[in-house]
Amino acid sequence: MTAHLKKLWGALLLLVLMGGTGLLLARDLSPAAVAAAFHQADLRFLLMAAGLMTAFMVLETFKLRGLFLGLTGRKLGLRRSLGYAFVGFYFSAVTPSSTGGQPAQIYYMSRDGEDGAAAALTLLLMALAHQTSMVTLGGIFFATQRHFLLGQMTGLGLLFLVGWGANLAMLAGILALILKPEPALHAVSRVITLLGKKKILRDPEGLNHRLEEAAAAYGRGRQAAAEHPGRMVWLMAMTIAQALLMYLIPAAIYWAFHLRGFSLIQLLAVQSALTISVSTLPLPGSAGASEGSFLVLFRQVFGLSLVAPAMVLSRAVSFYLPLGISALGTAAVHLLPSRRKKQAFG
């Protein structure tokens, strides 16, 4: 397949995904519902919620940039780092259980000439920090606000326990893959060899050689991470800050409706429980489940008359608005010339 044809197929696939995003926005986010909710709320706190989401994306950009620099010594440009952050958010949002974000980021980073193994390790460490922060904060909030949360979780207690256990298992799996990647690499090598024997792959020896090079680069990055534990502490601090920024969005919406009865720690605890409950469901962006769980968990917080408008505004700020922006950012990353091509043409 020629490079031109590959680019055409890639653009076509991206257009299909963008079309799906448009349908998702049209189906789940009624303009009338948003307008009605918007008119009931204090604009200052809505701007605060949007600022929180913006800060979340900024931290994601600097996490990726800083960690990649620490592992490889290579400095990613700010614009490219932001583009990769958009790619991660977008493909995580439109794929079940957020499974598409990291593979898409690795693809675009490799396309731009970055070491794919180093990119994979960077994103694995970021995933490890994400899972650790989610499980840790969820445990802390549940331990300190147990009685309050149990009162909010009517019918969702089992979903929370399953979500927390599944995230704990995912955390263990990511940690095992980082510390002991050899079994996974051996399995991939065996598959490549088998497909070569079946004549499905044309150059299994070359692919296995590239796999060995990737394993060596992965090992160098892992050693760099072990030699600089301060970098991992920095990553965890940034990730916890991101989680708290996201958990603060429903609190900003709560204040926007001039409500003041519940404390900040209670509002953070409810959003933490919501995030854990729906995070492992095999739905793009946990669509449907997030909205339904919000209506249950926040019903007593907002009251029956305001919980639906609050859900609309919270999802608009924390998911649908960044989804639309990241879709545009992903299109820009895909359509603009890669760094490798720019270097080739001087």
Side-chain angles (χ1 to χ4, degrees):
M1 185 181 292
T2 65
H4 180 71
L5 192 57
K6 284 182 180 179
K7 187 173 182 180
L8 184 63
W9 275 111
L12 182 61
L13 177 61
L14 194 62
L15 282 174
V16 171
L17 286 171
M18 297 298 174
T21 302
L23 291 174
L24 182 68
L25 292 171
R27 184 196 70 186
D28 293 343
L29 203 63
S30 162
V34 174
F38 184 82
H39 285 303
Q40 296 181 64
D42 187 325
L43 178 60
R44 293 172 299 172
F45 289 103
L46 295 183
L47 291 175
M48 174 184 172
L52 291 168
M53 193 63 218
T54 301
F56 176 92
M57 291 302 297
V58 169
L59 287 184
E60 186 72 9
T61 300
F62 281 102
K63 268 171 49 181
L64 176 59
R65 192 169 185 245
L67 186 58
F68 192 79
L69 173 64
L71 295 178
T72 66
R74 288 177 58 81
K75 189 174 183 179
L76 294 175
L78 189 58
R79 189 184 69 178
R80 286 203 301 137
S81 299
L82 179 61
Y84 299 145
F86 280 143
V87 167
F89 188 96
Y90 178 72
F91 281 99
S92 293
V94 300
T95 52
S97 300
S98 303
T99 52
Q102 291 182 348
Q105 287 175 299
I106 293 170
Y107 166 76
Y108 283 108
M109 291 175 77
S110 300
R111 185 200 69 166
D112 288 345
E114 303 300 343
D115 191 307
L121 180 59
T122 299
L123 296 170
L124 264 179
L125 290 171
M126 289 176 66
L128 176 67
H130 171 73
Q131 295 298 135
T132 302
S133 67
M134 189 190 304
V135 169
T136 302
L137 288 174
I140 291 173
F141 284 130
F142 189 79
T144 58
Q145 302 293 318
R146 180 173 65 259
H147 298 297
F148 169 72
L149 284 175
L150 289 174
Q152 310 298 313
M153 287 185 182
T154 307
L156 290 179
L158 180 60
L159 185 60
F160 172 78
L161 291 175
V162 170
W164 197 83
N167 278 289
L168 194 60
M170 289 171 62
L171 173 60
I174 294 171
L175 190 59
L177 189 58
I178 291 172
L179 297 177
K180 287 287 185 182
E182 291 80 9
L185 293 170
H186 182 65
V188 172
S189 179
R190 290 185 63 181
V191 170
I192 290 173
T193 302
L194 178 62
L195 293 177
K197 290 180 179 178
K198 299 289 185 180
K199 305 300 181 183
I200 297 174
L201 293 177
R202 288 184 295 179
D203 185 18
E205 292 82 5
L207 287 175
N208 273 321
H209 178 67
R210 287 165 61 186
L211 182 64
E212 291 173 1
E213 291 180 337
Y218 186 96
R220 290 192 297 271
R222 188 175 58 178
Q223 182 178 355
E227 291 173 352
H228 298 88
R231 182 73 61 170
M232 298 309 300
V233 173
W234 168 85
L235 174 63
M236 275 306 309
M238 295 274 281
T239 307
I240 290 173
Q242 275 188 297
L244 292 175
L245 287 170
M246 186 68 79
Y247 295 169
L248 274 169
I249 290 175
I253 303 300
Y254 178 77
W255 297 326
F257 285 115
H258 309 286
L259 300 171
R260 298 294 186 271
F262 290 90
S263 69
L264 177 59
I265 191 71
Q266 288 175 322
L267 298 173
L268 292 173
V270 176
Q271 181 56 43
S272 172
L274 172 59
T275 300
I276 288 174
S277 298
V278 303
S279 61
T280 56
L281 295 178
L283 298 166
S286 300
S290 286
E291 288 83 351
S293 298
F294 188 103
L295 293 175
V296 172
L297 288 171
F298 280 100
R299 182 172 54 216
Q300 295 183 39
V301 172
F302 285 96
L304 291 176
S305 62
L306 289 177
V307 67
M311 179 273 293
V312 169
L313 290 177
S314 181
R315 283 291 277 174
V317 172
S318 64
F319 182 72
Y320 292 106
L321 179 61
L323 174 63
I325 294 172
S326 64
L328 297 176
T330 299
V333 170
H334 183 84
L335 296 175
L336 290 175
S338 70
R339 182 169 172 266
R340 182 182 293 172
K341 287 184 178 179
K342 285 183 179 179
Q343 290 175 341
F345 287 101

